[in-house]
Amino acid sequence: MFFSVVIPTYDRQPILEKCLKALEDQQPSDLFSGYEIVVVDDGSTDGTVEWLHSQATEFPHVKVFCQNHQGAAAARNLGVEKAIGDTIIFIDSDLVVTDGFLRAHAEGLQEGQKELGSDASGTGSEPARLFTYGRVINTCNFEHPTAEPFKVTDFSAAYFATGNVAIARHWLEKAGLFDVGFQLYGWEDLELGVRLKQLGLKLIKCPDAVGYHWHPAFSLDQIPSMIDKEIQRGRMGVLFYQKHPTWDVRLMIQMTWISRALWEGLTIGGRLNERTMAPLIGWLIQQGKPQLAEQVARIFLNWYTVRAVYDAYAESQQP
């Protein structure tokens, strides 16, 4: 197989550099013939494209493509269109992988096909109906991101998430690629996952394909942008439900009376919010516990998500 690693990016040049350096330092394997790194810049304003062109000799596997700011779904679609590989690996531009990353995905794809046998077999010239999903470990350690241990909060039960996944391009094209209607934050990968599941693809967990997802240590000044993301997530969640009006999707986007009652209760009807909880969150950060502070903030962030879901759904029902 030949891998095309597709990476959408927007204003992330410092961590993108670490991401690309890690991908250039990959162990070879007889299971794949080679690889390319397809970087799609989604209209960055931080000089990312100019920097990439200036570093061409340092990143020989990298090919750069550009688009106006249209969102991750459109960027990934462009990446697949420009890729030459038969197997696509999606990662985010703030992911730093280990040197055995590609080899682990190749081994996972081969072992998955053996394990599933006829259940994974394609028909005729079709590839096996499976994809591999690697492990993602969250870290705020910019200097040494791969030093972070796996934590309970890093566990993901997602079926298809583009933070670390390898799949035959045949199935992406057959499913119709990403829906570019998801122009705000969230759900475009899980929505594609629903269509892939309908095609009968099996998820193969690949814990040895490790990526370290870097983000800045949580701070109070991040809260407004995080609230905005949750509102966007809520609105895109309704689009997800409109495309797939099932109970499973309602659960995923938290459009259920259970979710509404839970977060209304935990926030006391919204009274525990970014203003009233700021002293506690600030104190936790001062105590050197930014991850705990972020989990506390999730109480009111989830409330914003659920409220946005119901507001967007009510709007969609208006004539």
Side-chain angles (χ1 to χ4, degrees):
M1 67 186 80
F2 186 95
F3 285 130
S4 291
V5 185
V6 173
I7 308 173
T9 190
Y10 177 72
D11 284 353
R12 285 179 174 171
Q13 187 266 314
I15 191 61
L16 176 63
E17 181 174 3
K18 288 182 178 290
C19 170
L20 297 180
K21 284 182 177 179
L23 284 169
E24 289 289 356
D25 188 28
Q26 290 295 296
Q27 300 172 2
S29 170
D30 293 337
L31 295 178
F32 64 94
S33 59
Y35 69 100
E36 63 175 354
I37 306 167
V38 182
V39 177
V40 180
D41 184 82
D42 187 34
S44 290
T45 60
D46 65 349
T48 292
V49 175
E50 294 78 8
W51 172 78
L52 284 168
H53 289 318
S54 71
Q55 300 296 311
T57 56
E58 186 175 353
F59 303 124
H61 289 89
V62 171
K63 298 177 181 178
V64 183
F65 301 94
C66 302
Q67 66 176 28
N68 294 329
H69 191 46
Q70 301 174 53
R76 293 191 185 103
N77 284 353
L78 179 59
V80 174
E81 176 189 334
K82 299 296 185 181
I84 64 172
D86 51 50
T87 306
I88 306 295
I89 296 180
F90 291 115
I91 67 170
D92 293 326
S93 58
D94 51 8
L95 197 81
V96 180
V97 303
T98 59
D99 60 1
F101 178 76
L102 296 182
R103 185 190 65 192
H105 270 299
E107 291 173 349
L109 289 166
Q110 183 185 66
E111 292 170 6
Q113 187 168 357
K114 290 178 180 177
E115 177 186 337
L116 296 175
S118 59
D119 290 339
S121 297
T123 58
S125 60
E126 289 184 338
R129 294 175 184 265
L130 55 82
F131 61 90
T132 49
Y133 187 29
R135 174 172 287 181
V136 175
I137 298 174
N138 292 290
T139 180
C140 57
N141 186 340
F142 182 81
E143 295 302 323
H144 304 286
T146 59
E148 186 77 18
F150 180 79
K151 306 169 290 299
V152 173
T153 51
D154 293 322
F155 173 77
S156 172
Y159 168 74
F160 185 82
T162 48
N164 184 353
V165 66
I167 183 172
R169 70 179 299 149
H170 170 87
W171 297 117
L172 293 170
E173 292 169 347
K174 193 172 182 68
L177 297 179
F178 296 90
D179 184 343
V180 296
F182 288 86
Q183 294 187 351
L184 301 179
Y185 180 80
W187 301 116
E188 76 282 349
D189 49 356
L190 277 78
E191 189 278 325
L192 175 56
V194 171
R195 289 181 273 132
L196 292 169
K197 184 176 286 188
Q198 291 169 348
L199 292 174
L201 270 71
K202 308 294 183 183
L203 179 156
I204 303 297
K205 289 292 183 73
C206 191
D208 292 335
V210 183
Y212 294 83
H213 178 215
W214 178 82
H215 53 84
F218 178 66
S219 61
L220 286 171
D221 59 8
Q222 293 175 21
I223 290 178
S225 65
M226 294 175 76
I227 291 173
D228 182 59
K229 276 189 174 181
E230 294 309 315
I231 294 172
Q232 292 184 42
R233 191 202 303 271
R235 299 190 68 83
M236 292 298 95
V238 172
L239 176 59
F240 187 7
Y241 179 68
Q242 288 172 331
K243 293 196 66 177
H244 306 281
T246 66
W247 179 249
D248 285 345
V249 172
R250 288 182 72 109
L251 286 173
M252 279 192 274
I253 68 172
Q254 301 192 80
M255 197 169 77
T256 68
W257 69 266
I258 299 172
S259 297
R260 196 169 191 174
L262 173 64
W263 299 113
E264 283 283 338
L266 288 175
T267 62
I268 317 176
R271 292 180 180 85
L272 294 181
N273 53 45
E274 67 274 18
R275 296 180 296 278
T276 59
M277 297 188 73
L280 172 60
I281 292 170
W283 179 80
L284 288 171
I285 292 171
Q286 290 177 352
Q287 299 303 306
K289 299 177 180 179
Q291 291 180 336
L292 178 57
E294 184 172 359
Q295 293 306 310
V296 171
R298 283 288 155 197
I299 296 172
F300 60 79
L301 289 171
N302 274 298
W303 177 74
Y304 273 107
T305 307
V306 173
R307 192 173 69 171
V309 165
Y310 277 94
D311 288 346
Y313 183 71
E315 290 176 17
S316 73
Q317 300 303 299
Q318 294 177 359

